[in-house]
Amino acid sequence: MPAKTGNQYMERLKQAKSSVYIHGEKVEDVTVHPAFRNVVRSMAALYDRQYEKPDKMLYRSPTTGQLVGMTFIQPTTIDELIARREATQEWARMSAGMMGRSPDYLNAEVMAMGIANDLFAEDDPMFAENARNYYEYARENDISLTHTLIHPQMNRAKALHEQKDADVPLHLVERRKDGIIVSGIRLLATQGGITDEILVFPSTVKKSTAGEDPYALAFAIPNNTPGVKFICREAFDYGRSTWDHPLASRFEEGDAIVSFENVFVPWERVFVCGNSSICNRTFRETNAVVHMSHQVVAKNIVKTEFLLGVTLCLIEAIGIGEFQHVKDKGAEIMLALETMKSHLYRAEHNAKPDRWGTMTPDFAALDAARNWYPRVYPRLVEIIRILGASGLMAIPTEADFEHEEIGDIVRRAMQGATVDGYERVQLFRLAWDLTMSAFGARQTHYEYYFFGDPVRMGMAYFDGYEKESYKQFVQEFLRTKKSVSIPLNSDH
């Protein structure tokens, strides 16, 4: 079938009846439940956009000739790489970059692993074929995906097999003729309750040891597979209006603990089974991390553009644009934005085909960006909080403006330099939801840990960075013979 519409996306969720739990209850229909219905509609809007802008969002399938999602494409030229990124940013603008797990993120992963599947064949050629087939299946059916990469935080001082209850982390229970049985817990499935299927893959950062082979798994199954349960955290969409909570009321993706209770996975859905070595190399050797990073950097540029826009509107609204420290703080956000744009430009224009024919961005640029942005994003948010000051606390609700007795009082009291009270509070509520609400706090936490612990990532970045040429530069400088000094009183 071709790329799906928003209605088709919601209908699949209705029919799937996945086991989703939140606030101590089982959810019967995520499309109407208060915790999910708004973000489901935001997701549906993404799929509808594919048909609203087909030239940008769709392309012809190389196998069926049907129109499929551009974010699934295997780019073979720089132009195709840029076209995929433009589709990513089209979606990102619809959520101001607030949906960190919009479908394009995992579409890029599935594409990369499906094309560069040789690694999986080290264990069994069947696994390579499975990865290739799953990419085609996901592309042709426009499958929406969640994923889980990490184990629960139990005793981090011990390896998985050394835990007091070593059966808690997801592990292999049994190999059967027709598939495998797995059981245990995985974290942290963003959009777990509102997608079609789940990808279970190893961590992108934390490496496994040989003793952890029973935990070294990679597979994909429908979310409604018997034995799979999504236990969602408290929702940050409190059922308020888009005026009062302009971001949380639309883009609260949700995060879930995933429980696997003796779940059967057919062999055709397995990519890695009990091989830590393959798990440790999966993301880098397939270039999946490169294509995923390309999507993330593109999304974060849009997000930073939105942060800058909010900051500039806030500055103008209360007339603080001529203060020295205000301009300096605004410049910080501008510099962050231009730095990210530069990383993206270098990544795309230095792209080269890999050995599978996929046009692959320059990872050096993307790796720098994905390590740097988690460190700078908290500062960008802090700038908005500093500039907003008490104005981010004095934010009446829309109902206050509509109240017969206090509406005029609030409108007069909240006026700004260039906007009336209603417009000013609407803007400041947006800034608050971006930075200080539960939704905003989660955004900051999410960006900080997007690819994993920034310290561990920094260590890996340092270890992998090419250092010898820089040391040699200094050593050659120190070996250079000193020039003959000429006395100051010399006539020569």
Side-chain angles (χ1 to χ4, degrees), residues 155-368:
N155 185 345
R156 289 297 179 90
K158 293 181 180 295
L160 293 173
H161 63 282
E162 298 171 337
Q163 299 292 325
K164 182 166 60 176
D165 189 348
D167 287 340
V168 170
L170 180 68
H171 59 282
L172 178 67
V173 174
E174 181 186 357
R175 292 174 183 255
R176 297 186 350 192
K177 184 177 180 179
D178 53 350
I180 60 175
I181 303 295
V182 299
S183 198
I185 304 295
R186 273 294 193 102
L187 308 177
L188 185 65
T190 301
Q191 292 196 8
I194 60 169
T195 46
D196 296 322
E197 301 203 359
I198 181 169
L199 290 175
V200 175
F201 267 89
S203 169
T204 57
V205 177
K206 191 176 185 299
K207 303 303 180 186
S208 299
T209 63
E212 295 177 333
D213 278 350
Y215 307 94
L217 300 165
F219 58 85
I221 53 176
N223 286 350
N224 63 355
T225 299
V228 176
K229 292 182 172 67
F230 294 91
I231 305 167
C232 303
R233 62 158 169 78
E234 176 185 4
F236 299 149
D237 179 354
Y238 301 126
R240 304 292 293 276
S241 71
T242 56
W243 198 94
D244 287 344
H245 289 222
L247 300 175
S249 64
R250 288 180 276 194
F251 310 123
E252 157 61 332
E253 296 176 286
D255 307 293
I257 300 165
V258 189
S259 172
F260 299 82
E261 300 173 43
N262 292 311
V263 172
F264 171 69
V265 184
W267 279 121
E268 59 266 24
R269 288 302 195 95
V270 179
F271 315 121
V272 181
C273 184
N275 191 315
S276 294
S277 173
I278 293 177
C279 278
N280 290 340
R281 294 178 287 140
T282 292
F283 283 93
R284 191 63 191 94
E285 291 194 16
T286 62
N287 285 328
V289 70
V290 183
H291 292 280
M292 295 163 76
S293 297
H294 184 233
Q295 184 274 344
V296 171
V297 172
K299 182 268 296 181
N300 284 343
I301 286 172
V302 172
K303 192 170 194 173
T304 309
E305 289 174 339
F306 189 73
L307 263 69
L308 177 59
V310 170
T311 302
L312 295 174
C313 290
L314 186 153
I315 289 170
E316 185 177 87
I318 56 175
I320 58 173
E322 294 307 312
F323 292 106
Q324 186 179 48
H325 81 94
V326 172
K327 291 184 176 182
D328 183 62
K329 289 178 173 63
E332 282 191 59
I333 302 178
M334 294 171 180
L335 291 169
L337 174 59
E338 294 306 317
T339 299
M340 292 292 285
K341 287 181 177 179
S342 296
H343 283 309
L344 182 65
Y345 185 88
R346 175 188 165 190
E348 291 178 346
H349 289 82
N350 284 355
K352 293 180 173 57
D354 64 15
R355 64 189 180 92
W356 299 279
T358 305
M359 185 58 67
T360 303
D362 179 0
F363 187 51
L366 297 176
D367 202 17

Side-chain angles (χ1 to χ4, degrees), residues 55-75:
D55 291 344
K56 174 180 282 191
M57 302 302 296
L58 300 174
Y59 77 107
R60 291 285 174 187
S61 164
T63 57
T64 65
Q66 292 186 317
L67 290 172
V68 294
M70 179 65 75
T71 59
F72 279 108
I73 195 172
Q74 178 200 5

Side-chain angles (χ1 to χ4, degrees), residues 4 9 12-13 18 39 43 46-47 50 71-72 91 99-114 130-131 133-149 188-201 218-225 230 253-256 258 269 271 283 292 295 442 446 450:
K4 66 188 175 191
Y9 159 75
R12 283 191 199 176
L13 295 182
S18 301
V39 70
M43 282 282 286
L46 299 183
Y47 287 112
Q50 294 187 129
T71 59
F72 279 108
W91 268 353
M99 295 180 73
R101 289 295 185 265
S102 53
D104 44 324
Y105 179 70
L106 291 175
N107 293 356
E109 176 184 343
V110 168
M111 179 282 297
M113 292 184 180
N130 292 349
N133 290 342
Y134 190 76
Y135 164 48
E136 184 166 340
Y137 163 77
R139 181 191 67 211
E140 298 303 317
N141 292 277
D142 211 355
I143 298 297
S144 59
L145 291 160
T146 183
H147 77 331
T148 172
L149 302 178
L188 185 65
T190 301
Q191 292 196 8
I194 60 169
T195 46
D196 296 322
E197 301 203 359
I198 181 169
L199 290 175
V200 175
F201 267 89
F219 58 85
I221 53 176
N223 286 350
N224 63 355
T225 299
F230 294 91
E253 296 176 286
D255 307 293
V258 189
R269 288 302 195 95
F271 315 121
F283 283 93
M292 295 163 76
Q295 184 274 344
R442 185 262 186 190
Y446 201 79
F450 196 99

